[in-house]
């Protein structure tokens, strides 16, 4: 029998606000030491009252608009109670009864994934176990940092769909400045079940908690699929609805310690926070501040003459977009810029093992300008780019130092051709005896002789002429 | 018994109860749980009285977390602030009215207490139990003095999300009672003992003499209001008190091997019976399957109570009612404390659940519409002058 996966995701991302959700402490990103960014409010001292961060509300609304959600113009904050040392007040302020956004959709490939809701909540702190003293230490820097939880419907049918969705979500959130989505700051709970293909009834669900790496999420899903199917087909185990965690070392999931009793979070509306009413004027203001979506941006690039596939790659990454836009704004030709970013810059990034493009657009623009104007060769341009990546050199100064100059006259090219032939007599002899492959070696020697300068077409022409003599 | 839990300044003229934070002075909220807790900041109301030139005298006793109306806490403790005022030792006292305890105390001691309209005085710096109803009020020898202090502490505070936007409030205590319509709430009158009834009778007579009308009316749903407020108050208290877990500050048990034992041990050893009963009751009304029939229903009754009283205030200027059933309870077992408080909150719950203002003077209680604080104080002054 064939089985299909049914997956739903709960994705937590940190909102890009300057301060915490209910107090004026800076976000934990600003912290150097444990408990640096903590005040009586976010550490749960008695007497403090929460005051809502308006920017967090606006960012959550933006997220809802991006994911085609209905915005609840009447939204409330509720308290969720449980005891844990990383939760200083023993309750988390979240949105249980009236979440800010509901009923959205995201296109993944040719399928539509439903978004059940987006709600705002505060993050918890962090526990650190100190083996030396056998004590647990608590760090409240992250406490009350604003998060949104994006809850999808169980609409995913493969691990690939999940990853495509997450990548798209990450790009969209970065684009709109909703979240910086730093490494590990996007945390997912993955709900998985399997069922025979063509049936509607949902199978027994397991929830894999707190995953952040896309690659690990994919592996965990694949593992769970096999485990579920084995359990059904070969009765390897009895499936129960449970929470599991992914072990990155053992490459498998394990059930988390079962609590003796089911959690009862005793939700109720927070009497300290008045319901938030997002009136039409405010909603319009937020709508007006929305940046272009990745799709809109991609279409704009296509309209500029960039190939569809390249446009999509550029549009999927906020940093690539911002560099591209800045370089084009300096008057460079869009197709040329796209090629430099997608081929040369990305090859440098792969070589250096960097994930985000971090280059001064003015420098990239200058390199492209010099190459396009024939001042230096593309080969020289690549060398300059490498130097910019490695030690952030000044483009013009570096070209001078290296003697890069594509405008070498015919006499100098001819001299270099002759010198290269002389130094590679064996190759010349090979060529003349019919081994055409030897041409490359001699051509390379010419280029070297010219330090990458000179018009390659001219070099080729003169070399051919000399060799046929 | 000592007059203060913590003395601040012998020359001080304002006492502050121990659920209100004063920077660098212990704040216990009447609980062993917080016996070593010293706050890092002062309540907004405290900052305002100090900025206006008053001096703090000290912190006065309260029933644990202000929950007690007159159950397990001694009369002298619950009346500590009202006693200082009655004895002329301070000009006024700031007291948190959570469940009506300062109203009861003022009634017993024959002084004046005003619980202002919810949202007019900042709750910043109050050790919270039931946020949706508690307010800082003023205990003073008379309505004029209460109004004087209330003028100082009332007004918008950005640090409290439920604080109303108006910056300043004025309370005119010289409004004439002539032509005012006062409703005497029959059900509450009937529920009080003869001594209390006599106080209501003489208040009614004084109003008639001053040219007001006094009409006896029936208010439906008072028993439901009492239950609903007990549900809301207990639920919120349960939630607010869960932060006292022995981890960060406050009392910590010496007997624990893991985090669960730390929680259970610290809370079991530090909380009193009434607090524990409230926590159990409050946990129950919020739990799965009980929320809809308890907490949510209580919220509906609160809305209904607001409607009922608002309709009454279209016809009447104030409701006249007792603040308590009788001055002293007969002895009872401590395990009955929660029920005793619950029964007694019949008199205090209407103003607590609606957030409407209440003024106690000469042993009687006046409840008015939102922002009728000044009118109630003026009516209180009529009784004070009559007896003077």
């Amino acid at each position: 029998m064939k089985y299909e996966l049914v997956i739903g995701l709960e994705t937590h991302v940190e909102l890009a606000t300057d301060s915490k959700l209910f107090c004026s402490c800076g976000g934990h990103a600003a912290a150097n030491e444990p408990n640096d960014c903590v005040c009586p409010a976010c550490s749960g001292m008695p007497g403090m009252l929460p005051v809502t961060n308006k920017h967090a509300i606006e960012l959550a609304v933006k997220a809802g608009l991006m994911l085609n959600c209905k915005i609840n113009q009447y939204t409330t904050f509720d308290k969720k109670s449980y005891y844990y040392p990383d939760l200083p007040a023993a309750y988390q302020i979240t949105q249980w009864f009236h979440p800010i956004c509901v009923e959205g959709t995201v296109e993944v490939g040719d399928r539509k994934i439903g978004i059940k809701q987006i709600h705002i909540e505060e993050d918890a702190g962090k526990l650190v176990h100190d083996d030396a003293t056998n004590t647990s230490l608590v760090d409240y820097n992250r406490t009350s940092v604003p998060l949104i939880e994006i809850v999808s419907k169980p609409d995913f049918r493969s691990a690939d769909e999940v990853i495509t969705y997450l990548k798209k979500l990450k790009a969209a959130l970065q684009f709109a400045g909703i979240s910086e989505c730093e490494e590990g700051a996007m945390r997912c709970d993955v709900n998985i079940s399997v069922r025979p293909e063509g049936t509607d009834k949902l199978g027994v669900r397991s929830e894999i908690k707190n995953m952040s790496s896309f690659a690990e999420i994919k592996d965990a899903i694949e593992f769970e699929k096999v485990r579920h199917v084995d359990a059904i087909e070969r009765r390897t185990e009895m499936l129960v609805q449970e929470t599991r965690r992914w072990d990155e070392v053992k490459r498998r999931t394990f059930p988390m310690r079962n609590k003796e009793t089911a959690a009862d979070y005793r939700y109720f509306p927070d009497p300290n926070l008045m319901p938030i009413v997002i009136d039409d004027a405010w909603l319009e203001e937020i709508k007006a501040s929305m940046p272009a979506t990745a799709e809109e941006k991609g279409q704009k690039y296509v309209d500029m003459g960039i190939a569809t596939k390249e446009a999509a790659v550029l549009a999927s990454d906020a940093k690539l977009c911002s560099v591209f836009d800045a370089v084009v704004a300096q008057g460079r030709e869009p197709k040329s810029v796209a090629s430099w970013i997608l081929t040369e810059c990305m090859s440098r990034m792969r070589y250096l093992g960097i994930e985000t493009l971090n280059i001064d657009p003015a420098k990239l623009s200058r390199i492209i300008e010099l190459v396009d104007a024939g001042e230096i060769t593309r080969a020289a341009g690549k060398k300059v780019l490498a130097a910019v990546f490695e030690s952030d050199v000044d483009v013009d100064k570096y070209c001078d130092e290296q003697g890069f100059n594509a405008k070498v006259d015919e006499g100098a090219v001819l001299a270099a051709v002759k010198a290269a032939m002389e130094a590679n007599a064996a190759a010349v002899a090979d060529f003349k005896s019919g081994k055409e492959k030897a041409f490359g070696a001699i051509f390379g020697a010419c280029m070297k002789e010219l330090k990458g300068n000179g018009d390659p077409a001219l070099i080729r022409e003169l070399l051919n002429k000399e060799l046929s003599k | 018994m000592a007059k203060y839990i913590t003395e601040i300044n012998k020359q001080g003229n304002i006492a502050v109860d121990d659920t209100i934070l004063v920077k660098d002075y212990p704040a216990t909220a009447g609980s062993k749980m917080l016996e070593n807790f010293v706050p890092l900041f002062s309540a907004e109301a405290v900052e305002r009285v100090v900025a206006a030139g008053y001096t703090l005298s000290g912190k006065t006793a309260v029933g644990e977390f202000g929950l007690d109306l007159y159950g397990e806490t001694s009369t002298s403790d619950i009346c500590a602030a009202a006693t200082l005022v009655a004895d002329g030792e301070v000009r006024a006292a700031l007291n948190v009215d959570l469940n009506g305890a300062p109203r009861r105390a003022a009634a017993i001691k024959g002084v004046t207490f005003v619980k202002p309209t919810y949202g007019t005085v900042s709750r910043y710096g109050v050790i919270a139990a039931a946020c949706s109803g508690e307010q800082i009020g003023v205990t003073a020898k008379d309505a004029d003095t209460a109004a004087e202090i209330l003028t100082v502490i009332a007004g918008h505070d950005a640090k409290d999300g439920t604080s109303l936007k108006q910056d300043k409030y004025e309370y005119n205590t010289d409004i004439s009672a002539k032509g005012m319509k006062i409703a005497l709430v029959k059900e509450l009158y009937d529920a009080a003992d003869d001594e209390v009834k006599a106080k209501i009778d003489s208040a009614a007579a004084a109003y008639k003499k001053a040219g007001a009308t006094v009409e006896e009316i029936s208010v439906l749903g008072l028993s439901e209001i009492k239950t609903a407020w007990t549900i809301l108050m207990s639920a919120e208290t349960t939630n607010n008190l869960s932060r006292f877990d022995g981890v960060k500050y406050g009392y910590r048990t010496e007997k624990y091997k893991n985090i669960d034992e730390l929680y259970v041990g610290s809370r079991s050893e530090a909380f009193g019976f009434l607090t524990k009963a409230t926590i159990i009751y409050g946990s129950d009304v919020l739990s799965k399957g009980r929320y809809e029939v308890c907490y949510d229903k209580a919220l509906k009754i609160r809305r209904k109570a607001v409607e009922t009283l608002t309709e009454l205030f279209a016809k009447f200027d104030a409701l006249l009612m007792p603040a308590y059933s009788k001055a002293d309870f007969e002895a009872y077992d401590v395990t009955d404390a929660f029920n005793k408080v619950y029964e007694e909150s019949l008199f205090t719950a209407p103003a607590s659940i609606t957030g409407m203002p209440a003024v106690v003077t000469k042993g009687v209680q006046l409840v008015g519409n939102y922002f009728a604080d000044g009118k109630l104080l003026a009516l209180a002054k009529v009784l004070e002058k009559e007896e003077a």
Side-chain angles (χ1 to χ4, degrees), chain B residues 1-303:
Chain B
M1 191 208 77
K3 289 172 189 162
Y4 295 100
I5 297 277
T6 308
E7 200 158 32
I8 296 174
N9 185 334
K10 279 196 192 326
Q11 270 74 51
N13 50 12
I14 302 280
V16 175
D17 88 30
D18 219 20
T19 49
I20 301 173
L21 305 184
V22 178
K23 188 173 185 284
D24 299 334
Y25 290 93
T28 68
S31 181
K32 182 179 177 184
M33 179 55 91
L34 288 176
E35 61 191 5
N36 57 7
F37 178 73
V38 180
L40 300 167
F41 59 96
S42 290
E44 177 65 15
V46 167
E47 296 282 6
R48 290 188 185 192
V49 292
V50 170
Y54 297 94
T55 317
L56 304 181
S57 58
K59 306 289 295 288
T60 55
V62 285
E64 193 172 21
F65 297 108
L67 295 169
D68 199 6
L69 257 185
Y70 201 148
E72 61 180 3
T73 317
S74 73
T75 313
S76 59
D77 270 355
I78 221 161
C79 292
T83 306
L84 287 173
V85 170
D87 295 348
E89 301 221 22
V90 289
R91 182 157 184 83
L94 303 184
N95 297 92
V96 176
D97 188 328
L98 163 77
N99 199 16
R103 271 180 271 166
R104 182 184 173 86
I108 292 170
K109 289 290 164 186
V111 293
T112 304
F113 177 77
V114 53
K115 178 185 93 76
T117 299
Y118 184 82
T120 56
V121 176
S122 171
R123 290 181 296 112
Y124 179 84
V126 171
I127 298 177
C131 299
S132 75
E134 63 198 6
Q135 272 287 279
I136 294 180
V138 181
T139 308
K141 71 176 193 310
D142 56 30
D144 277 334
T145 316
E148 167 196 322
I149 306 297
L150 188 56
T151 309
V152 171
I153 63 173
H156 179 64
D157 174 19
K159 298 187 291 304
D160 175 357
T162 60
S163 171
L164 298 168
K165 297 291 174 239
Q166 193 169 324
D167 281 333
K168 276 291 198 201
Y169 294 91
E170 277 171 24
Y171 305 99
N172 180 6
T173 56
D174 290 322
I175 312 166
S176 166
K178 196 161 184 200
M180 283 220 211
K181 293 182 185 127
I182 292 163
L184 196 161
V185 181
K186 184 178 181 301
E187 288 79 4
L188 299 181
Y189 180 85
D190 291 346
D193 75 359
D194 289 345
E195 195 190 324
V196 176
K197 278 181 181 148
K199 287 178 181 173
I200 300 282
D201 291 340
S202 59
Y207 285 131
K208 282 180 192 154
K209 201 173 134 196
T213 59
V214 179
E215 186 184 326
E216 191 177 274
I217 60 156
S218 255
V219 178
L220 294 176
L222 288 168
S223 176
E224 286 79 0
I225 286 173
K226 171 186 75 175
T227 307
W229 173 241
T230 301
I231 289 171
L232 298 178
M233 178 195 76
S234 303
E236 292 178 28
T237 300
T238 301
N239 171 268
N240 275 316
L241 265 47
S242 51
R243 75 188 67 223
F244 304 126
D245 55 10
V247 172
K248 305 162 292 278
Y249 47 76
Y251 181 83
R252 179 185 288 189
T253 180
E254 287 175 359
K255 291 167 276 179
Y256 65 93
K257 291 194 288 293
N258 55 43
I259 188 71
D260 287 340
E261 287 181 18
L262 174 87
Y263 288 151
V264 174
S266 303
R267 292 166 67 81
S268 301
E269 291 164 30
F271 287 145
F273 182 85
L274 180 61
T275 300
K276 284 177 188 163
T278 306
I279 288 172
I280 289 166
Y281 187 78
S283 300
D284 176 61
V285 298
L286 285 176
S287 62
K288 253 183 214 153
R290 297 278 288 159
Y291 180 88
E292 291 74 16
V293 290
C294 296
Y295 191 85
D296 200 44
K297 198 164 176 197
L299 286 179
K300 289 193 179 97
I301 294 171
R302 164 179 267 169
R303 285 192 287 274

